[in-house]
């Protein structure tokens, strides 16, 4: 029993209480211990009420509860002082104010109760060289009193004023009449002197977040402003203020305040003997009864489910098990039964999960162990068949760990180990074989490389000497825009004659061209191409390319052609439908690298739609980006086929650039096709086998043409067996990509001109 | 405001003999309210829903007769309804489980059989009955909110050390909760109840508050009289005495 509390109580109530206590608490050992102490100083209260005998009786009876140290269960939350932005509860002005406590008493009480670390708010009334004085207006935390009319002053010495960065006198920052929030540093209760500080360290921990120093009128605490209202009008009673404040209507203010005061809801205090909650048995609580009940209900379901299972009705059995597990998710029997059902049905992984869950809650469940071992072994067997030997081994070991005497697991483990050794041997042999193979492979690859290098050298020589331009002179094209050309062929021929420009020049020309073209075609609208149209566009291009090709078919370039054509399958399927096999192949040359192919495809796709209207802006942009890549690849790969081949390619590219002109192609289509078909089919036939697969894929892919050039291209290239030849062709192509683009532009311009005409 | 209408200062019942007041009915009500409060703790109900349940029960039996309605069933339904009103929803299954175990100590949980469903049906139907009996006025102003705010104001005026060493808050809270064993909540407005309870708590520990022109309790509750405080207190103390007789 709390002696001090009792003493206080007794001094308040007097002797009679003591007597009652004696009688009521006679069995209480604690009381007897301290009763001697208490007997010494009970005093009579001045204005004792007569009918407090019942109260005293009550106190005496409940003294063992009231004064027991465990009764003080309230643990107030050490809350941080947060700005009163949202009122969680009604914040009231100090009670003193309502009570009209006398001036003197208030002052005495203030000095009795104020402590270091409390926060005061005051106004500066004088600034001296050793500090400034403030007149206190109200409390800012830690204490709630009405002090404004007490006209207390506090000193804030200069050492308690934090200095701002510059070396001025810190006091110069403050002026008369400033509102200051400060922490109480020192109290001289006897003389009634207060020292305050502006250092945050002077605050008590729960108030540490308050900003000290000058504050504005808006930052005055709510209880002060409410107090002002009360002081001004006499009709503002406590009740009114309370009920009109927003925080009072907050539905969760009870919860909040209980936390603030530290009263527990789960172990609520009561003075009734029968309601001492610590005496309640845990098993009587709702949650534990529910658990038991759920377990029993679930068990019933499991029994029904097992019946179903035994009679073969697996679906109903599963339903019952699931029902049981819904009611009681940790039910061991249900888990085991369900696991068994899974295992019988063949879902071994799910079965194992269920068994493991069951064993987690009940590690000694016999059936769970047994079933789990069996399932592990079975699963191990399956894994063995799938050649996942290591996993299988771990499963067997796990089964053995669970049950050392599990014969099957042991057998299986031994079998597995034999299997592992066999497979290891096999692997060694294979590895040895592969090493041999790789050597062979290397030698053939080396040979190929040598060949390629030679070819490169030859091409380089020829290219340097020739004056054929790989890229059309875009400046010439611009100059020729105005002139109506008789035919694209003538232009392409002229372009071929021009010398190869440096990559930088090409770039510049592209830029110029693109800007020019943009101005030409800016009026036209730009919209993305659907897959179908792009395909047709490519077909049309091919006609012209064939047409051109027929004119300048190089002699004895069979191998290179073959090579080139081999690279075509990489794109043909991606771009064309089945019927356009032969045409599609021609498309391959430009599209060597996946990235280029993508771009080119896109360019083509876009260009196709654009073409009827003749706008070239998008194409130019594509060309531009492709051109860059072309340059890069160009610089890296200088090996080329014969120059005539390059020309041929040029033509093809130019023809492909013509793709924007459907009308032309229609005319040339039949011519070109017949001419080309003969030469093409020779090589085509050889590659049909290759292509068979790709073409089939081409059809479905056609739809996604513009979007998925990349994956298709890469997929296609993988199909092609002859990697090295492809590689060489691919490297050749980028050099002339710029040509294509410029030629496309050229033809489009021509078309425009024709339209104008 | 609900205040004036619903609260009858039952002066006739105050004062007088403790024995006379302990009619059989009062005892029954006491027991049933004890039942409500104990099962409330076991169900994890918060203070306010428990108070609502008790208030519903007391109001119901102001006009209904114990001969007609089974009080324990009314109590169960009152708890269920109070959970809904105060947004702390309880499952009928839990209520039935805990109440069954309270009334049949140490029994096994009920099986999902017809008896269970019948019980559940009766709880739900009785809920409707209570609603109708009370004309659907089922939300109350409870003294708890007032008491907590009063406690804060009193804390402000006390010395902080005196406050922390005197368990005023717990005592006042316990007294308030215990007051629901009787129909105090029906007879007096919530502010008065809260104040009386606080007064008793302070009085029990011999805490003296500063004196001003107005007494602290008069400030907190403008329209209360000392006499009323005392009558509330005496009624409350009678409840404690009844405990010995009823349980």
């Amino acid at each position: 029993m709390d002696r001090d509390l009792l003493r206080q109580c007794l001094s308040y109530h007097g002797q009679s209480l003591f007597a009652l206590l004696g009688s009521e608490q006679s069995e209480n050992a604690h009381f007897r211990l301290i009763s001697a102490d208490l007997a010494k100083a009970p005093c009579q209260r001045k204005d004792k009420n007569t009918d407090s005998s019942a109260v005293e009786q009550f106190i005496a009876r409940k003294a063992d509860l009231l004064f027991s140290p465990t009764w003080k269960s309230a643990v107030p939350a050490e809350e941080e002082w947060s700005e009163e932005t949202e009122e969680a509860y009604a914040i009231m002005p100090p009670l003193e104010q309502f009570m009209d406590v006398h001036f003197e008493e208030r002052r005495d009480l203030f000095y009795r109760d104020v402590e270091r670390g409390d926060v005061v708010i005051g106004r500066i009334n004088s600034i001296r060289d050793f500090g400034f004085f403030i007149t206190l207006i109200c409390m800012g935390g830690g204490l709630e009193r009405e002090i404004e009319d007490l006209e207390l002053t506090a000193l804030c010495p200069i050492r308690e004023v934090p200095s701002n960065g510059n070396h001025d006198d810190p006091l110069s920052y403050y002026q008369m009449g400033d509102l200051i929030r400060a922490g109480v540093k020192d109290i001289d209760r006897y003389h009634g002197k207060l020292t305050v500080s502006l250092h945050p360290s002077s605050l008590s921990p729960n108030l540490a977040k308050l900003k000290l120093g000058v504050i504005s009128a808006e930052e005055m605490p709510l209880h002060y402003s409410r107090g002002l209202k009360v002081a001004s009008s006499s009709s503002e009673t406590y009740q009114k203020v309370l009920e009109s404040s927003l925080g009072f209507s907050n539905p969760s203010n009870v919860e909040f305040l209980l936390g603030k005061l530290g009263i527990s809801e789960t172990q609520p205090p009561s003075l009734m003997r029968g309601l001492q909650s610590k005496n309640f048995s845990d098993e009587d609580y709702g949650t534990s009864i529910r658990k038991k009940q759920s377990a029993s209900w679930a068990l019933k379901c499991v029994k029904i489910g097992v019946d179903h299972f035994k009679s073969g009705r697996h679906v109903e059995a599963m339903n019952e098990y699931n029902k049981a597990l819904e009611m009681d998710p940790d039910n061991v029997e249900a888990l085991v039964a369900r696991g068994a059902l899974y295992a019988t049905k063949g879902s071994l992984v799910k079965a194992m999960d269920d068994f493991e869950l069951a064993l987690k809650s009940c590690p000694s469940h016999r059936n769970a162990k047994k079933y789990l071992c069996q399932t592990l072994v079975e699963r191990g067997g399956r894994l063995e068949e799938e050649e996942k030997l290591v996993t299988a081994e771990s499963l067997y070991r796990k089964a053995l760990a669970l049950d050392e005497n599990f014969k099957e697991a042991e057998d299986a483990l031994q079998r597995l180990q034999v299997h592992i050794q066999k497979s290891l041997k096999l692997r060694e042999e294979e590895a040895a074989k592969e090493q041999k193979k790789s050597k062979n492979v290397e030698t053939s690859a080396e040979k190929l490389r040598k060949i390629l290098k030679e070819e490169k050298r030859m091409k380089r020589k020829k290219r340097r000497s020739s004056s054929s331009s790989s890229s059309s002179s875009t400046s010439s094209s611009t100059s020729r825009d105005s002139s109506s050309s008789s035919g694209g062929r003538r232009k392409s021929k002229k372009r071929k004659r021009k010398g190869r420009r440096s990559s930088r020049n090409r770039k510049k020309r592209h830029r110029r061209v693109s800007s020019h073209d943009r101005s030409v075609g800016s009026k036209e609208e730009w919209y993305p191409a659907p897959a179908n149209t792009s395909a047709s566009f490519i077909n049309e291009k091919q006609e012209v390319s064939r047409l051109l090709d027929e004119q300048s078919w190089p002699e004895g370039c069979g191998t290179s052609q073959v090579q080139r054509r081999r690279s075509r399958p990489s794109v043909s399927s991606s771009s064309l439908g089945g019927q356009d096999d032969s045409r599609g192949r021609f498309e391959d040359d430009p599209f060597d690298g996946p990235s280029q192919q993508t771009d080119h495809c896109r360019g083509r796709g876009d260009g196709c739609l654009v073409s009827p209207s003749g706008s070239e802006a998008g194409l130019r942009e594509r060309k531009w980006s492709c051109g860059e890549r072309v340059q890069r690849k160009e610089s890296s790969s200088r090996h080329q086929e014969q120059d005539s081949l390059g020309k041929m390619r040029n033509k093809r590219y130019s023809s492909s650039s013509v793709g924007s002109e459907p009308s032309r192609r229609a005319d040339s289509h039949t011519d070109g096709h017949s001419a080309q078909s003969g030469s093409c089919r020779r090589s085509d036939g050889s590659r049909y086998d290759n292509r068979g697969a790709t073409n089939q894929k081409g059809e479905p892919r056609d739809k996604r043409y513009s979007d998925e050039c990349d994956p298709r291209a890469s997929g296609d290239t993988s199909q092609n067996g002859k990697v090295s030849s492809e590689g060489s062709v691919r490297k050749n192509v980028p050099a002339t990509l710029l040509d294509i683009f410029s030629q496309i532009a050229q033809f489009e311009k021509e078309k425009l001109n024709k339209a104008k005409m | 405001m609900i205040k004036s209408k619903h609260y009858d200062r039952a002066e006739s019942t105050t004062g007088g003999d403790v024995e006379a007041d302990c009619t059989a009915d009062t005892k029954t009500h006491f027991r049933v309210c004890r039942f409500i409060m104990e099962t409330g703790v076991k169900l994890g109900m918060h203070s306010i829903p428990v108070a609502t349940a008790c208030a519903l029960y007391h109001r119901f039996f102001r006009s209904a007769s114990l001969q007609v309605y089974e009080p324990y069933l009314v109590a169960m339904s009152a708890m269920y309804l109070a959970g809904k009103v105060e947004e702390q929803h309880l499952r009928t299954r839990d209520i039935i489980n805990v109440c069954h175990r309270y009334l049949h100590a140490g029994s096994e949980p009920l099986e999902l059989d017809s008896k269970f469903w019948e019980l559940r049906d009766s709880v739900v139907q009785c809920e409707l009955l209570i609603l109708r009996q009370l004309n659907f006025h089922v939300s109350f102003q409870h003294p708890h909110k007032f008491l907590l705010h009063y406690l804060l104001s009193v804390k402000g005026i006390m010395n902080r050390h005196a406050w922390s060493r005197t368990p005023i808050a717990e005592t006042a809270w316990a007294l308030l909760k215990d007051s629901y064993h009787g129909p105090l909540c029906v007879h007096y407005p919530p502010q008065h109840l809260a104040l009386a309870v606080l007064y008793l708590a302070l009085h029990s520990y011999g805490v003296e508050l500063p004196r001003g022109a107005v007494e602290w309790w008069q400030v907190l509750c403008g329209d209360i009289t000392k006499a009323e405080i005392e009558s509330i207190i005496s009624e409350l103390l009678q409840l404690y005495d009844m405990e010995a007789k009823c349980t």
Side-chain angles (χ1 to χ4, degrees):
Chain A
M1 277 183 148
D2 195 322
R3 190 179 309 197
D4 298 318
L5 269 181
L6 261 178
R7 203 175 284 141
Q8 177 186 343
C9 177
L10 280 169
S11 62
Y12 181 79
H13 288 275
Q15 191 66 24
S16 51
L17 178 58
F18 186 63
L20 277 169
L21 267 175
S23 64
E24 293 288 349
Q25 298 290 334
S26 50
E27 301 89 46
N28 195 320
H30 296 282
F31 180 69
R32 268 183 269 141
L33 280 172
I34 59 177
S35 65
D37 243 358
L38 298 166
K40 288 173 199 163
C43 65
Q44 201 77 335
R45 218 178 88 201
K46 299 142 208 162
D47 49 340
K48 217 162 126 60
N49 286 337
T50 44
D51 61 347
S52 60
S53 60
V55 175
E56 287 180 5
Q57 183 91 340
F58 166 75
I59 299 170
R61 284 213 190 113
K62 304 290 181 186
D64 58 327
L65 288 171
L66 288 172
F67 298 101
S68 103
T70 55
W71 183 248
K72 244 185 294 183
S73 54
V75 182
E78 274 302 322
E79 80 278 8
E80 299 274 319
W81 180 278
S82 56
E83 293 303 309
E84 297 156 7
T85 48
E86 278 164 14
E87 239 187 310
Y89 61 96
I91 294 173
M92 298 298 294
L95 197 55
E96 276 186 335
Q97 186 167 2
F98 291 100
M99 284 165 66
D100 281 338
V101 177
H102 195 246
F103 179 92
E104 288 289 332
E105 195 166 345
R106 267 189 286 134
R107 197 171 57 186
D108 293 340
L109 287 172
F110 174 77
Y111 279 112
R112 179 193 78 178
D113 294 335
V114 74
E115 299 209 352
R116 274 205 203 127
D118 289 344
V119 176
V120 293
I121 295 175
R123 207 179 283 277
I124 297 183
N125 63 13
S126 74
I127 305 179
R128 309 277 179 81
D129 45 359
F130 55 86
F132 58 81
F133 286 95
I134 59 171
T135 318
L136 299 187
I137 298 178
C138 71
M139 302 299 296
L143 200 63
E144 280 171 34
R145 299 294 163 85
E146 192 204 359
I147 55 176
E148 185 166 17
D149 58 341
L150 298 177
E151 291 183 13
L152 308 165
T153 48
L155 167 67
C156 183
I158 193 165
R159 64 173 183 277
E160 301 294 350
V161 178
S163 61
N164 28 6
N166 17 351
H167 298 278
D168 296 346
D169 174 23
L171 287 176
S172 63
Y173 181 69
Y174 303 97
Q175 293 175 353
M176 288 278 290
D178 273 351
L179 276 174
I180 299 282
R181 186 192 279 136
V184 172
K185 185 88 197 284
D186 204 24
I187 310 140
D188 182 349
R189 295 176 209 272
Y190 187 68
H191 290 113
K193 291 208 165 122
L194 271 178
T195 316
V196 296
S197 158
L198 292 178
H199 284 300
S201 56
S202 64
L203 293 175
S204 61
N206 62 327
L207 299 170
K209 285 212 176 138
L210 272 180
K211 186 195 85 168
L212 296 179
V214 181
I215 60 170
S216 63
E218 288 82 33
E219 288 176 73
M220 294 297 281
L222 189 54
H223 64 81
Y224 176 71
S225 34
R226 289 216 169 118
L228 282 179
K229 260 194 273 174
V230 169
S232 59
S233 97
S234 61
S235 65
E236 288 286 326
T237 61
Y238 182 93
Q239 193 79 342
K240 268 207 201 144
V241 176
L242 181 70
E243 285 174 8
S244 62
S245 62
L246 186 62
F248 192 68
S249 347
N250 176 9
S252 55
N253 59 7
V254 171
E255 208 181 304
F256 183 82
L257 286 176
L258 282 174
K260 201 166 145 85
L261 288 166
I263 303 172
S264 152
E265 282 276 40
T266 48
Q267 297 275 337
S270 172
L271 287 171
M272 290 281 189
R273 298 283 165 191
L275 277 180
Q276 300 303 307
S277 57
K278 58 181 187 281
N279 295 337
F280 293 162
S281 150
D282 275 340
E283 284 178 9
D284 289 340
Y285 278 70
T287 40
S288 72
I289 303 180
R290 173 180 269 261
K291 262 197 206 156
K292 263 171 67 176
Q293 195 183 50
S294 302
S296 118
W297 289 359
L299 217 57
K300 268 194 176 172
C301 281
V302 171
K303 282 194 193 133
I304 301 172
V306 170
D307 280 338
H308 282 309
F309 179 52
K310 285 184 185 158
S311 347
R313 295 187 290 274
H314 289 240
V315 180
E316 283 92 339
M318 183 56 81
N319 285 345
E320 291 293 330
Y321 295 150
N322 285 336
K323 217 165 62 172
L325 282 168
E326 255 179 55
M327 284 195 265
D328 183 13
D330 298 322
N331 192 302
V332 178
E333 294 299 329
L335 284 169
V336 173
R338 195 171 74 164
L341 181 55
Y342 275 138
T344 323
K345 283 210 295 195
S347 331
L348 295 178
V349 185
K350 287 192 199 171
M352 288 195 314
D353 287 339
D354 275 345
F355 291 136
E356 273 168 22
L357 260 178
L359 282 175
K360 240 197 284 186
S361 18
C362 179
S364 60
H365 196 272
R366 204 165 37 95
N367 274 349
K369 264 197 198 172
K370 196 168 78 172
Y371 295 160
L372 184 56
C373 291
Q374 287 174 358
T375 321
L376 282 170
V377 172
E378 203 182 319
R379 178 115 181 98
R382 289 216 193 144
L383 287 175
E384 251 192 83
E385 289 164 29
E386 293 174 24
E387 295 295 319
K388 294 192 185 141
L389 300 173
V390 184
T391 330
E393 186 180 352
S394 69
L395 288 179
Y396 291 145
R397 287 199 192 285
K398 205 167 152 190
L400 270 179
L402 277 173
D403 180 4
E404 288 96 22
N405 305 325
F406 198 46
K407 196 72 178 50
E408 277 187 38
E410 280 184 39
D411 295 340
L413 191 60
Q414 285 170 5
R415 267 183 281 132
L416 178 66
Q417 282 172 346
V418 170
H419 191 142
I420 288 178
Q421 285 175 6
K422 274 194 216 163
S423 68
L424 275 174
K425 277 188 204 158
L426 270 174
R427 271 195 221 141
E428 284 171 15
E429 289 166 22
E430 281 176 22
K433 279 187 209 165
E434 276 178 27
Q435 280 177 10
K436 291 180 208 161
K437 274 191 212 163
S438 62
K439 284 180 202 162
N440 298 338
V441 169
E442 281 167 16
T443 49
S444 57
E446 283 170 6
K447 283 181 197 163
L448 270 172
R449 272 187 218 128
K450 284 178 196 165
I451 297 171
L452 287 171
K453 278 180 197 165
E454 285 174 18
E455 285 180 354
K456 279 183 205 174
R457 274 180 230 131
M458 289 172 62
K459 283 170 204 164
R460 264 182 221 147
K461 285 180 196 164
K462 287 197 181 163
R463 274 201 182 170
R464 277 171 208 145
S465 59
S466 79
S467 63
S468 66
S469 62
S470 55
S471 69
S472 64
S473 55
T474 52
S475 52
S476 64
S477 66
T478 51
S479 56
R480 276 179 217 143
D481 255 352
S482 47
S483 65
S484 58
S485 56
S486 52
R489 292 175 217 170
R490 272 182 236 154
K491 276 193 187 171
S492 59
K493 276 187 193 168
K494 285 179 191 168
R495 269 178 239 133
K496 279 176 232 155
R497 274 178 221 142
K498 292 212 173 141
R500 201 174 242 227
R501 307 255 157 86
S502 69
S503 49
R504 255 180 271 139
N505 288 344
R506 255 178 255 127
K507 260 192 194 172
K508 284 180 195 161
R509 270 175 222 122
H510 272 299
R511 274 190 212 122
R512 269 182 254 142
V513 168
S514 52
S515 56
H516 174 86
D517 289 335
R518 256 178 237 127
S519 61
V520 168
S522 55
K523 54 185 174 180
E524 316 293 349
E525 280 172 69
W526 175 253
Y527 38 94
N532 293 334
T533 48
S534 63
S536 54
F537 162 82
I538 287 156
N539 295 344
E540 287 161 352
K541 267 195 201 173
Q542 285 317 306
E543 317 302 349
V544 184
S545 74
R546 248 172 260 128
L547 181 59
L548 295 170
D549 280 341
E550 117 188 76
Q551 293 172 6
S552 57
W553 196 258
E555 312 85 356
C557 298
T559 48
S560 52
Q561 281 178 30
V562 165
Q563 281 178 340
R564 228 175 296 122
R565 279 181 202 130
R566 277 187 208 133
S567 71
R568 280 173 223 146
S570 60
V571 182
S572 68
S573 54
S574 65
S575 48
L576 300 175
Q579 44 166 332
D580 299 320
D581 296 353
S582 48
R583 284 175 222 148
R585 268 172 239 144
F586 288 96
E587 283 298 308
D588 289 349
D589 289 341
F591 310 123
D592 54 355
S595 56
Q596 284 206 334
Q597 283 170 346
T598 329
D599 262 2
H600 209 66
C601 297
R602 282 196 214 118
R604 295 268 176 100
D606 291 334
C608 143
L609 270 188
V610 166
S611 58
S613 54
S615 86
E616 297 148 348
L619 262 183
R620 288 307 156 112
E621 286 159 9
R622 297 278 180 275
K623 270 192 242 167
W624 166 230
S625 50
C626 278
E628 280 186 310
R629 247 174 257 114
V630 164
Q631 291 142 31
R632 272 179 248 134
K633 289 209 181 177
E634 218 178 359
S635 48
S636 59
S637 62
R638 285 283 164 169
H639 55 279
Q640 35 244 305
E641 301 165 40
Q642 295 141 23
D643 188 40
S644 47
L645 262 181
K647 280 189 198 164
M648 181 182 77
R649 247 178 280 122
N650 287 348
K651 279 189 192 151
R652 270 195 225 116
Y653 298 145
S654 60
S655 64
S656 59
S657 71
V658 171
S660 52
E661 301 180 305
S663 52
R664 261 202 202 169
R665 262 172 254 132
D667 297 334
S668 51
H669 176 94
T670 44
D671 301 341
H673 189 70
S674 51
Q676 293 282 321
S677 55
S679 52
C680 293
R681 272 170 212 152
R682 270 180 279 137
S683 42
D684 289 354
S686 61
R687 242 160 288 107
Y688 260 108
D689 335 4
N690 261 0
R691 295 289 208 60
T694 63
N695 290 333
Q696 284 158 21
K697 285 182 202 166
E699 285 163 21
R701 281 186 204 164
D702 197 21
K703 308 248 157 73
R704 299 165 291 144
Y705 173 70
S706 43
D707 295 334
E708 295 178 20
C709 271
D710 258 345
R712 255 179 276 143
S714 43
D716 290 336
T717 51
S718 61
Q719 292 157 24
N720 203 310
K722 284 132 196 175
V723 177
S724 49
S725 55
E726 260 192 30
S728 65
V729 175
R730 255 182 260 131
K731 284 164 192 169
N732 280 325
V733 164
T736 53
L737 202 56
L738 284 166
D739 287 343
I740 307 161
F741 291 133
S742 50
Q743 283 165 16
I744 293 171
Q746 195 63 28
F747 279 106
E748 285 171 347
K749 274 178 224 153
E750 283 178 20
K751 194 199 155 202
L752 257 182
N753 293 334
K754 284 216 167 171
K756 282 176 199 165
M757 283 174 1
Chain B
M1 283 297 298
I2 306 174
K3 258 199 285 190
S4 43
K5 277 187 286 176
H6 292 221
Y7 298 101
D8 38 283
R9 312 288 175 86
E11 269 94 10
S12 54
T13 56
T14 58
D17 235 348
V18 173
E19 278 75 30
D21 285 338
C22 285
T23 60
D25 279 358
T26 329
K27 285 192 190 166
T28 314
H29 291 315
F30 184 94
R31 287 199 193 97
V32 178
C33 289
R34 169 59 59 90
F35 162 77
I36 293 178
M37 296 176 67
E38 195 171 321
T39 49
V41 172
K42 292 178 183 168
L43 285 167
M45 276 169 94
H46 294 151
S47 308
I48 303 271
V50 170
T52 308
C54 292
L56 286 170
Y57 175 86
H58 285 300
R59 280 183 194 277
F60 180 84
F61 277 108
R62 244 191 340 177
S63 41
S65 156
L66 269 175
Q67 273 65 49
V68 182
Y69 302 107
E70 161 59 45
Y72 284 97
L73 180 61
V74 173
M76 282 163 71
S77 303
M79 277 194 278
Y80 184 51
L81 181 56
K84 288 189 192 173
V85 169
E86 302 294 346
E87 300 295 335
Q88 193 193 6
H89 298 264
L90 301 166
R91 312 286 299 276
T92 40
R93 178 179 163 191
D94 288 325
I95 296 178
I96 291 172
N97 283 341
V98 175
C99 296
H100 181 83
R101 201 178 162 96
Y102 179 93
L103 295 169
H104 309 274
S107 58
E108 285 302 311
L110 287 173
E111 292 300 321
L112 199 58
D113 54 8
S114 61
K115 186 174 165 202
F116 181 86
W117 292 115
E118 276 169 23
L119 269 172
R120 193 180 178 278
D121 281 344
S122 32
V123 168
V124 172
Q125 287 188 17
C126 192
E127 181 197 7
L128 185 58
L129 189 63
I130 296 177
L131 279 168
R132 288 166 61 192
Q133 184 78 15
L134 298 180
N135 289 325
F136 291 83
H137 292 308
V138 288
S139 72
F140 311 115
Q141 274 268 47
H142 284 297
H144 302 72
K145 211 162 36 170
F146 292 98
L147 176 62
L148 290 171
H149 284 93
Y150 295 164
L151 278 169
L152 279 181
S153 288
V154 167
K155 175 183 173 189
I157 205 171
M158 276 176 75
N159 177 285
R160 71 193 78 195
H161 299 295
W163 173 266
S164 57
R165 70 166 176 262
T166 321
I168 297 171
E170 300 95 314
T171 310
W173 194 253
L175 286 168
L176 182 59
K177 286 176 69 116
D178 293 339
S179 74
Y180 278 91
H181 282 88
L184 278 168
C185 50
V186 172
H187 294 163
Y188 298 100
Q191 296 92 326
H192 295 199
L193 260 183
L195 185 65
V197 157
L198 179 55
Y199 185 94
L200 179 57
L202 287 171
H203 196 69
S204 306
Y205 286 107
V207 175
E208 294 204 51
L209 292 179
R211 282 250 167 95
V214 189
E215 290 273 13
W216 64 269
W217 47 267
Q218 194 67 68
V219 165
L220 291 177
C221 194
D223 56 346
I224 202 169
T225 61
K226 195 76 189 288
E228 192 179 342
I229 297 179
E230 283 167 12
S231 73
I232 296 176
I233 290 179
S234 70
E235 209 175 312
L236 181 55
L237 296 181
Q238 281 170 29
L239 284 174
Y240 284 101
D241 292 335
M242 215 190 292
E243 188 187 6
K245 296 186 173 70
C246 297
T247 55

